[in-house]
């Protein structure tokens, strides 16, 4: 697939999220993500507001579902989400019912391998259970905790090629990527590029990052989209 740029709205205020989303659309972003902080703060209301404001844009609801999968996916689909996220560490039955809800309500399922002892096997497991996409994800707490102990902070690019080679569905790399690393993702075979903390959201406060964010996003989008034309 052609490279897709997704912005993660990891904010806790719907008004700021809508403002950031509008700016991202002007800059050339393709997909919007109702990040986990936004869903915790605003719930279905936040997803509905995004759908009202952007009627034709794909919206990912980053639920990180671990249980009650069918109902969570159904609720988000009815609120306007086009994609939902289920965790590989959830029970097999939870992943299966999220996939079924996706079929029933016309939404795509993104399986997240965060926390898997074997990240590559976790990605393959998600594909085998019917997920449409894999999110190869190194978690916020994991990265910061490992760095605080004096060890090298893990990076999604460490195993990205192995994950891409293990599955036949599109892969997205998430977890503390630098600007340069995010732009590299399509070259690794991961066409779904997500921009969030620390690129566009302040990682410590979950507020929009300082600086000329729109110009930066436009440059990022141009570089990522250009990869598909090479």
């Amino acid at each position: 697939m052609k490279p897709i740029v997704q912005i993660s709205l990891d904010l806790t205020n719907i008004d700021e999220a809508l403002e950031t989303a509008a700016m991202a659309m002007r800059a050339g972003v393709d997909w919007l993500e109702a990040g986990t902080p936004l869903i915790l703060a605003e719930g279905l209301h936040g997803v509905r507001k995004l759908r009202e404001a952007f009627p034709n844009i794909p919206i990912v609801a980053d639920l990180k579902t671990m249980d009650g999968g069918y109902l969570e996916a159904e609720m988000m689909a009815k609120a306007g989400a086009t994609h939902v996220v289920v965790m590989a560490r959830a029970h097999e039955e939870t992943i299966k019912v999220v996939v079924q809800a996706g079929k029933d309500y016309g939404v795509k399922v993104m399986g997240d391998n965060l926390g898997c002892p074997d990240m590559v096997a976790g990605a393959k497991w998600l594909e085998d259970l019917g997920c449409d996409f894999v999110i190869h994800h190194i978690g916020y707490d994991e990265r910061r905790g490992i760095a605080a102990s004096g060890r090298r902070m893990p990076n999604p690019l460490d195993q990205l090629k192995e994950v891409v080679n293990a599955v036949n569905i599109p892969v997205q790399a998430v977890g503390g990527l630098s600007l340069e690393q995010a732009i590299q993702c399509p070259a690794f075979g991961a066409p779904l590029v997500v921009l969030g903390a620390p690129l566009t959201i302040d990682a410590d406060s979950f507020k929009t990052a300082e600086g000329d964010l729109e110009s930066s996003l436009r440059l990022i989008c141009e570089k990522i989209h250009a990869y598909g034309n090479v």
Side-chain angles (χ1 to χ4, degrees):
M1 63 183 293
K2 291 183 178 180
I4 294 292
V5 182
Q6 171 183 321
I7 187 167
S8 178
L9 300 169
D10 287 331
L11 301 159
T12 57
N13 179 282
I14 186 59
D15 292 331
E16 188 177 4
L18 289 167
E19 182 180 337
T20 303
M23 176 273 299
M25 290 292 101
R26 293 194 301 270
V29 167
D30 304 292
W31 292 8
L32 299 173
E33 176 190 327
T36 308
L38 184 63
I39 289 177
L40 287 170
E42 302 282 358
L44 293 169
H45 169 73
V47 176
R48 289 194 191 100
K49 286 291 186 182
L50 285 171
R51 175 51 66 216
E52 289 170 8
F54 307 99
N56 301 312
I57 302 300
I59 295 175
V60 178
D62 189 11
L63 294 165
K64 294 187 172 69
T65 294
M66 286 293 293
D67 194 22
Y70 192 96
L71 179 59
E72 287 196 4
E74 176 187 2
M75 291 170 70
M76 284 298 168
K78 289 180 176 178
T82 55
H83 297 68
V84 294
V85 178
V86 65
M87 306 305 292
R89 298 303 297 272
H91 193 277
E92 175 181 354
E93 292 301 324
T94 297
I95 301 171
K96 286 180 178 179
V97 296
V98 171
V99 168
Q100 186 59 53
K103 294 175 181 177
D104 291 346
Y105 292 96
V107 298
K108 298 295 184 181
V109 177
M110 307 181 85
D112 189 324
N113 69 357
L114 184 150
C116 287
D118 185 328
M119 303 291 274
V120 177
K124 182 61 178 170
W125 170 246
L126 291 164
E127 179 184 38
D128 290 345
L129 289 174
C131 291
D132 302 289
F133 301 87
V134 163
I135 303 172
H136 175 51
H137 192 176
I138 308 297
Y140 176 83
D141 292 333
E142 177 183 358
R143 300 192 311 269
R144 292 169 68 88
I146 289 173
S149 71
R151 292 175 289 160
R152 174 188 172 274
M153 184 183 293
N155 187 288
L157 299 188
D158 295 341
Q159 289 187 288
L160 183 54
K161 284 187 178 178
E162 295 162 75
V163 169
V164 168
N165 290 336
V167 300
N168 296 304
I169 55 178
V171 175
Q172 180 182 75
V174 178
L177 294 174
S178 69
L179 170 59
E180 292 76 13
Q181 290 167 338
I183 292 172
Q184 288 173 19
C185 284
F188 280 75
L192 287 160
V193 181
V194 62
L195 305 175
L199 300 180
T200 56
I201 305 295
D202 186 310
D204 295 313
S205 63
F206 296 108
K207 294 180 180 179
T208 307
E210 297 293 334
D212 186 358
L213 185 54
E214 185 170 341
S215 295
S216 298
L217 273 179
R218 185 172 291 109
L219 177 61
I220 295 168
C221 290
E222 287 173 357
K223 289 189 175 183
I224 294 170
H225 289 145
Y227 185 85
N229 297 322
V230 174

